[in-house]
Amino acid sequence: MKSYKHLFQRVIAAAPERLHFAAHSHHLWPDASYVGQLAAWEDGVRLADRKWERVMGEIWPAAQHHVAAELGLPDSSTIVFAPNTHELLLRIASALPQRPLRILTSDGEFHSFRRQSARWEEAGTGQVTRVPLASLVETARSGAYDLIFVSQVQFGTGHVFDGMEELAALARPEGPWVVIDGYHGFMAMETDLSAVADRVFYLAGGYKYAMAGEGCAFLHAPPGHGPRPEITGWYAEFDDLSLPPGSIGYAPDARRFLGATFDPSGIYRFVAVRDMLRQEGLRTADIAAHAGALRDALLAALPIEAELLNPGSPARFLALRSPHAARWKAQLEAEDVIVDVRGDVLRIGFGLYQDARDLDGLVAALRSL
């Protein structure tokens, strides 16, 4: 098994005894991200007030190009960045005129959407239907919803949603809108949105498999969907000369979902990491194959008894159900072996920075539980 540790020297040196198998939760940063962070700082002090010309004129388009290339999008101008996906979700919802908002979602969504949708219910501004992932498409066909929100890969179980094209067939500019939460799919598995790019929203970011850290979430916004979000910042301003004086204009592309002043360092890191991967000749398929080999090797040697919830899944983590999951996680953490737990599910995630020696250490640690 090939090792890519040379790309992660700084993070390894920072904690050389740590065995980190939580790439699905907090992916360790490659050295290229440090180069990107320094570039953001240096541009800030060198250019001062003029830094935004470089951010919006060079770094932003480069990041858009990387996302579009990864997802097979025909037009990179459909990509907009924000500090987190929650901001973008709020702007999407604000662009739908109906209230209460009729929402369909799965019963396994990440905490951010689960909490927000529950609060919309509590406030009377949303009516939420939650169904098992396998029932989502059939339920959506009833036509009773304004917003359909589902994860590409379920964060808890690693189950992959395979009904994106079926949902896209239901989507219309006037509603329903389909939003795919791609956080556990983007750069974890090959994703081609070319066939549905004109009908679905796609949310993801740099915190996990893109290896760029926080502050670099993005949205692909299909043309014609949500031209005037109610929650809007001054960066979304667009001077349309056909508008009467005092009117609120919007950019004609994905910038219509922009907010206000933001920290661009996450976007710098993302561009630096993507450039590094290109220079190394590493595609998402290559990284997924490396992670998959680690996963398969662990399954072959797994010394604990637990129910595997995602057999055969391309997800970059194993989801292992056991009443001992929380105790196992705590015992491993005490030995500086990092995994994570969701309820009674132990999650073990794989990344480019792990190799066969790390796997041997993990198996030994699991054997001692």
Side-chain angles (χ1 to χ4, degrees), residues 60-120:
W60 182 281
Q64 287 179 306
H65 174 77
H66 280 305
V67 173
E70 177 70 23
L71 296 176
L73 298 173
D75 181 3
S76 63
S77 72
T78 63
I79 297 295
V80 62
F81 296 94
N84 55 71
T85 57
H86 187 251
E87 284 192 18
L88 294 165
L89 169 66
L90 295 181
R91 291 177 205 147
I92 293 171
S94 78
L96 279 161
Q98 301 89 340
R99 293 296 182 274
L101 200 58
R102 300 171 301 168
I103 300 168
L104 173 65
T105 190
S106 84
D107 58 4
E109 297 303 315
F110 184 61
H111 302 312
S112 181
F113 183 79
R114 176 194 55 77
R115 175 182 170 84
Q116 185 61 69
S117 61
R119 182 66 180 95
W120 281 332

Side-chain angles (χ1 to χ4, degrees), residues 43-326:
D43 281 353
V45 297
R46 177 173 60 89
L47 300 172
D49 312 66
R50 295 176 48 242
K51 79 173 184 181
W52 293 105
E53 296 172 20
R54 174 154 164 75
V55 170
M56 302 307 292
E58 298 179 49
I59 305 302
W60 182 281
Q64 287 179 306
H65 174 77
H66 280 305
V67 173
E70 177 70 23
L71 296 176
L73 298 173
D75 181 3
S76 63
S77 72
T78 63
I79 297 295
V80 62
F81 296 94
N84 55 71
T85 57
H86 187 251
E87 284 192 18
L88 294 165
L89 169 66
L90 295 181
R91 291 177 205 147
I92 293 171
S94 78
L96 279 161
Q98 301 89 340
R99 293 296 182 274
L101 200 58
R102 300 171 301 168
I103 300 168
L104 173 65
T105 190
S106 84
D107 58 4
E109 297 303 315
F110 184 61
H111 302 312
S112 181
F113 183 79
R114 176 194 55 77
R115 175 182 170 84
Q116 185 61 69
S117 61
R119 182 66 180 95
W120 281 332
E121 281 185 296
E122 184 182 70
T125 54
Q127 297 172 348
V128 186
T129 301
R130 299 174 182 84
V131 298
L133 192 64
S135 306
L136 191 85
V137 171
E138 189 59 37
T139 306
R141 290 193 176 115
S142 70
Y145 304 99
D146 307 307
L147 180 67
I148 303 166
F149 186 100
V150 63
S151 290
Q152 182 182 8
V153 179
Q154 299 273 287
F155 87 103
T157 63
H159 293 162
V160 176
F161 177 63
D162 61 2
M164 200 182 303
E165 291 196 13
E166 288 86 346
L167 286 186
L170 306 174
R172 301 287 185 276
E174 64 275 14
W177 291 354
V178 172
V179 180
I180 304 297
D181 181 348
Y183 231 126
H184 276 287
F186 182 68
M187 290 183 63
M189 51 192 282
E190 289 187 294
T191 300
D192 185 352
L193 298 182
S194 58
V196 297
D198 60 336
R199 286 163 290 161
V200 303
F201 291 87
Y202 187 90
L203 285 166
Y207 188 69
K208 299 189 185 298
Y209 312 101
M211 300 181 277
E214 306 88 343
C216 184
F218 71 83
L219 168 69
H220 158 68
H225 291 65
R228 304 184 80 249
E230 182 181 356
I231 296 178
T232 185
W234 72 283
Y235 268 49
E237 185 72 29
F238 178 71
D239 294 328
D240 186 341
L241 298 180
S242 67
L243 291 173
S247 298
I248 301 171
Y250 286 82
D253 54 25
R255 291 173 300 159
R256 66 192 184 272
F257 286 98
L258 267 170
T261 308
F262 59 94
D263 175 2
S265 62
I267 303 175
Y268 274 83
R269 294 193 304 267
F270 174 68
V271 171
V273 170
R274 288 286 303 194
D275 285 348
M276 174 270 290
L277 292 174
R278 181 171 55 193
Q279 291 162 9
E280 293 285 332
L282 285 168
R283 302 164 300 142
T284 292
D286 302 316
I287 302 171
H290 179 80
L294 290 164
R295 178 192 62 222
D296 293 346
L298 176 59
L299 282 174
L302 194 66
I304 57 174
E305 291 188 11
E307 177 190 1
L308 177 61
L309 297 182
N310 57 339
S313 169
R316 288 268 293 277
F317 62 92
L318 292 177
L320 300 165
R321 175 173 286 157
S322 167
H324 308 299

Side-chain angles (χ1 to χ4, degrees), residues 4-18 28-38 353:
Y4 296 95
K5 286 185 180 293
H6 65 283
L7 303 176
F8 294 86
Q9 289 302 298
R10 287 183 174 274
V11 72
I12 292 171
E17 302 304 317
R18 175 178 58 194
L28 296 187
W29 295 1
D31 297 346
S33 65
Y34 181 77
V35 175
Q37 185 72 29
L38 283 183
Y353 52 86

